[in-house]
Amino acid sequence: MAKIKPGKGSPYAGIMGVGGYRPTRVVPNDVILETIDSSDEWIRSRSGIATRHWASPEETVTAMSVEAGGKAIADAGLTPRDIGAVVVSTVSHFKQTPAVATEIADKIGAGRPAAFDISAGCAGFGYALTLAKGMVVDGSAEYVLVIGVERLSDLTDLEDRATAFIFGDGAGAVVVGPANEPKIGPTVWGSEGDKSHTITQTVPWTDYRDGTVDRFPAITQEGQAVFRWAVFEMAKVAQQALDAAGISADDLDVFIPHQANMRIIDSMVKTLKLPEHVTVARDVETTGNTSAASIPLAMERLLATGQAKSGDTALVIGFGAGLVYAATVVTLP
């Protein structure tokens, strides 16, 4: 029996650069209140959201990704030709095929990299980051561009009081490459498919095509069930990620959870007993829930504003539709 040679990758991988893109249109709660019976105070108290960004027709999934990806590549000190793989996490690219990653790779000038999409909802960035780490360590690609991008305004029912105010648009990206020490920890990830009904699309695309329904499909959720799951279960997953990385909450510099809801974030901080010195990402207030884009967008803003710095140790965790989750500890670029 022939022996297969192992890959010749780096022993470790790390995040080398980060970039983000937020659409130019800023949408305050007052706009949301034009179509639902609610109040600015109610929205802020339930979610912590004051504004969100909605994309124009020109700010497509591809266009936003190219902007964010280009920034991440430049931040890493690389050129597009250095990129050996492009992994895009999104649920709002409306072409079944081809993968939008192939178009993005071409438009950023990456040559002929491996390119594919994944669909893992709000945990998508963590899933893609884990795949990228594996590629670098295995040697399949030296540098991997990971992009989380969403145009959730296209999937928002503005008459649904439970979800109309939640979602925003944007793209966040990181470059993963070789490292001389562990800079991306073990990933704690999983799924609970028995709860898949709690965050879902209202109807399949075929129902709309066939005229079974006359309203375009949108994202819907059982808010209380999702909130309880996130508050009580995701703090446990976050703690498991700390344990897997061999560190404690005291060792953290930054906490970057999925930007779903300010109350969920605050509850996780309390449950994890994070020290006061830990910087907590609260980008949801001005960006809303951008699903797969939320963690890299929040990471980019913390670094850009000086709230976090290169070399900081950060715990990241994403969770959402599926229900799926992914958590890991990283060193910020």
Side-chain angles (χ1 to χ4, degrees):
M1 181 182 293
K3 292 185 177 180
I4 299 174
K5 291 183 179 180
K8 295 182 179 180
S10 169
Y12 308 113
I15 299 175
M16 300 178 61
V18 60
Y21 181 83
R22 292 173 172 80
T24 56
R25 183 188 177 192
V26 177
V27 180
N29 288 337
D30 289 348
V31 172
I32 306 299
L33 297 175
E34 294 173 3
T35 51
I36 61 171
D37 180 17
S38 187
S39 68
D40 178 67
E41 180 184 4
W42 188 89
I43 293 174
R44 289 176 185 254
S45 65
R46 293 302 180 96
S47 68
I49 299 172
T51 61
R52 71 287 292 148
H53 295 254
W54 283 355
S56 68
E58 293 75 27
E59 292 169 316
T60 62
V61 165
T62 298
M64 292 191 293
S65 297
V66 169
E67 289 291 329
K71 292 177 183 177
I73 292 170
D75 190 49
L78 302 173
T79 70
R81 289 284 175 176
D82 294 318
I83 300 300
V86 178
V87 185
V88 176
S89 178
T90 186
V91 299
S92 48
H93 173 56
F94 290 155
K95 284 185 179 179
Q96 191 69 38
T97 192
V100 72
T102 59
E103 182 181 357
I104 294 166
D106 176 64
K107 288 188 179 299
I108 64 173
R112 300 176 63 184
F116 60 95
D117 301 348
I118 65 170
S119 176
C122 303
F125 175 75
Y127 275 55
L129 184 67
T130 304
L131 294 174
K133 173 188 173 183
M135 291 183 212
V136 172
V137 172
D138 177 70
S140 302
E142 187 175 11
Y143 301 106
V144 181
L145 178 62
V146 171
I147 300 172
V149 57
E150 302 293 2
R151 271 185 54 121
L152 294 179
S153 57
D154 292 333
L155 286 168
T156 298
D157 181 352
L158 294 178
E159 296 179 2
D160 181 358
R161 189 171 184 269
T163 61
F165 58 91
I166 294 174
F167 301 114
D169 303 336
V174 301
V175 172
V176 177
N180 55 13
E181 61 184 42
K183 292 189 175 182
I184 300 175
T187 300
V188 177
W189 56 355
S191 65
E192 297 184 40
D194 60 314
K195 301 179 180 65
S196 61
H197 61 280
T198 58
I199 306 175
T200 187
Q201 188 170 299
T202 48
V203 295
W205 301 115
T206 49
D207 283 7
Y208 184 73
R209 179 199 66 188
D210 297 341
T212 306
V213 296
D214 57 7
R215 292 179 69 88
F216 193 74
I219 298 173
T220 186
Q221 69 174 18
E222 298 175 14
Q224 288 301 315
V226 173
F227 181 86
R228 287 193 298 270
W229 175 77
V231 168
F232 294 111
E233 298 300 324
M234 290 304 98
K236 298 177 186 176
V237 172
Q239 183 60 56
Q240 290 170 12
L242 290 175
D243 295 341
I247 68 171
S248 70
D250 290 336
D251 299 314
L252 281 179
D253 300 302
V254 184
F255 178 44
I256 311 177
H258 166 49
Q259 301 295 294
N261 181 299
M262 195 75 79
R263 291 168 62 199
I264 292 174
I265 294 171
D266 290 341
S267 294
M268 292 182 72
V269 169
K270 183 178 180 180
T271 303
L272 289 167
K273 299 179 180 179
L274 296 184
E276 289 188 7
H277 74 261
V278 176
T279 297
V280 180
R282 292 188 170 88
D283 195 43
V284 66
E285 180 180 5
T286 56
T287 306
N289 179 344
T290 56
S291 189
S294 80
I295 290 175
L297 276 174
M299 183 184 296
E300 185 266 348
R301 175 162 281 174
L302 289 176
L303 289 166
T305 58
Q307 297 176 72
K309 63 183 185 300
S310 174
D312 279 353
T313 300
L315 169 63
V316 299
I317 178 171
F319 45 86
L323 295 169
V324 294
Y325 55 86
T328 188
V329 174
V330 304
T331 300
L332 295 184

